[in-house]
Amino acid sequence: MTAWIADDPDPATARELSGLLAAWRDGDDDARAELADRFAGPLGFGTAGLRGALGGGPARMNRAVVIRTAAGLAAYLDGELEEQAPPRVVVGYDARHRSHTFALDTAAVLTAAGVRTFVLPGPLPTPVLAFAVRHLDADAGGRVTASHNPASDNGYKVYLGGRVTTADDRGVQVAPPLDEAVAHATAQVRSVASVPRAEAGWTVLGPEIVQAYEAAALRSLNPATDHPADDRATGLRAVLTAMHGVGAVTAARVLRAAGFTDLHLVAEQAQPDPDFPTVAFPNPEEPGALDLAFALASRVDADLVLALDPDADRCAVAVPDPRTGGWRRLHGDETGALLGAEAAARADDGATLACSVVSSRLLEQIATANHLHFAPTLTGFKWIARTPGLVFGYEEALGCCVAPDMVRDKDGITTALHVAALAAGLKAAGRTLLDALDDLARTHGLYLTDQVTAWLTGPAVAGALMTRLRAAPPATLAGSPVVTCTDLARGSEDLPPTDGVRLGCADSTRVVVRPSGTEPRLKCYLEVVHPVPPDATYDALTAIRTAARTHLDAVAADLRAALDLDPPAPGQG
């Protein structure tokens, strides 16, 4: 502990740790517990890279951790490429607290190690970094971001490309066993003081890299032209919020270039602000996060709300709902089904649709109906995006990959563009996204999904709950017998092992329970399936949706009881 403090390159975090250590020595039990947590072990590559609270210690995000990780990445690349030309790495960052500092530390370490290093020209969306790795044929990318985590957090993603991966993996986030190799190289770093850091020598890229991303985004909508403006686009009125993140400027330029000129930005959330002052939690999935967007949409009588998360790799979608008279935020599975159906209609034979094991089974039905391949994956885009033959992939947590040849990761900006194009085409025909969802239900049945989540005090609590579920799964859910209980930790023909349990009921209800890979909570993914006649009327389908919602709520209540979880807070699932 004292060695770490002495080696800390940041006086602020060194003082912070020294203060906690002094308090512990004076008998402060809270300081002792805090230090134990901060030194519990190094941050590991979870579902989306390193992520944690800002602060001193190996289990926090700080300059010491970033410098060690950058040194580990440089050593890994050097070992992989040996006598070849020096590695090429692109570094990007968002607008969170300390992000720019962490990016400069990364560039300094990589440059001193002989790596040709390119830094993006400012705080930009994560998809721009993922694009740049492929566009510049870089061997790796380092991205400083904590995505939609609280303001107190930051994180670090690593992408591999160029000469160290295969074609399908280029520009994808690092995954086992390669993340373990990078982590092993990081663990060999003796000290921060032993890591050389250059004062200059890296290249700061110009605006051309962002322009190239924007042009590629437009081509993803219509590969025949860089300017796919459609007369129908001008008939759609949309509201866009960037959730105090870095996506507003790039997303607005792309949307307007595609013809969506009737675009209204939520001014209070358009500028980057690392404190996220207008939202309790900067995640468009959270209750209340879209209140400002809904208020603006109501004032301007919008057809569509598009909400990016702070690093713009995810996009939430909402539309007016005639069934309730209010705004309806589409579930990630609904957005995935709509875009998956569009991709399937355009795809060539042999193409593949993919989604995570916790996402809806509807995408598999869409793939089968269109004579395409389907691939289930583990949770996280580091798995989805490396699917061979991928033309579309998504995860229920609002992440979609609509242009895998461009960005081999989730991309909220191209997702927003494709959703807007779909909504504009439907509006021109006198229809809406909700009508398109009803069409999917008439074709494949109604697949309704939701989540039960529980915030936990630590990994041990999650482990105890998972052990309990494996030992004593519920006998029934909403009155239907549980007929299968699959321990995903054992792996299968389709999936490598992961910490999760999948329950299947006689009535086709499915539940997947897993600890989050990015946050201290247990996540339970619920899905019920109700048949729908192909000629079901609007009123009949409304009744089926109501019945399915009641069914899903009953499943949620039974699962909470089985896991002894607290009832949901008002407005939460």
Side-chain angles (χ1 to χ4, degrees), residues 74-86:
Y76 166 76
L77 293 173
D78 183 63
E80 288 293 303
L81 298 177
E82 296 180 343
E83 301 300 319
Q84 301 179 47

Side-chain angles (χ1 to χ4, degrees), residues 451-456 461-462 464-466 468-469 511 513-514 521-526 555-569 573:
Q451 267 192 48
V452 165
T453 63
W455 289 94
L456 308 174
V461 179
L465 287 171
M466 295 302 297
R468 172 179 173 177
L469 182 61
V511 172
V513 182
R514 58 177 282 271
R521 57 177 172 172
L522 190 73
K523 306 182 81 171
C524 311
Y525 305 84
L526 323 178
V555 172
D558 284 354
L559 187 65
R560 283 185 175 278
L563 293 173
D564 196 23
L565 301 178
D566 293 333

Side-chain angles (χ1 to χ4, degrees), residues 81 163 170 177 196 208 340 424 432 451 470-471 542:
L81 298 177
R163 294 166 291 172
R170 287 183 184 131
E208 295 81 8
T432 70
Q451 267 192 48
R470 288 181 170 102
T542 298

